[in-house]
Amino acid sequence: NIGGASSEALPFYAGWHPYFNVENVSQSMIELDQGCDYENLDCGTPAQTAPLIPTGYSRPWKQFNGKNPIGVAQGNTEGMPTYYDDAYRVVR
């Protein structure tokens, strides 16, 4: 149980950090349940150095549809994968 002494709402999120063992990340895709809509929560910019605390803003997220490679970020000459270590939520 999560609780507090105050009657005010307590922001809380239980998350997970998946690691996928794939042969070629530039051609790998993630597919989430397409029966739901997803939002990417803005956690500051740039995400790699931001505090990763949601700002209250969000945008629709369609990237994990099994059609878009997670691959290498555009313009990244070092071959590092696209950065996805921010927050997402399901919208019903």
Side-chain angles (χ1 to χ4, degrees), residues 31-53:
E31 183 173 5
L32 298 179
D33 180 357
Q34 296 303 301
C36 300
D37 291 324
Y38 299 90
E39 290 184 344
N40 173 250
L41 307 181
D42 182 349
C43 293
T45 332
Q48 291 87 336
T49 58
L52 296 180
I53 298 172

Side-chain angles (χ1 to χ4, degrees), residues 8 14 34 45 56-57 59 64 67 74 77 81:
E8 293 183 36
Q34 296 303 301
T45 332
Y57 297 100
R59 61 187 162 271
F64 298 151
K67 299 175 185 169
Q74 284 187 329
T77 58

Side-chain angles (χ1 to χ4, degrees), residues 1 5 9 11 16 23 32 34-35 41 54 58 61-63 67-69 89:
N1 290 332
W16 49 279
E23 289 185 30
L32 298 179
Q34 296 303 301
L41 307 181
S58 63
W61 185 257
K62 305 282 185 193
Q63 290 298 103
K67 299 175 185 169
N68 300 308
R89 70 175 163 208

Side-chain angles (χ1 to χ4, degrees), residues 1-3 9-15 41 54:
N1 290 332
I2 302 295
L10 170 70
F12 176 78
Y13 178 78
L41 307 181

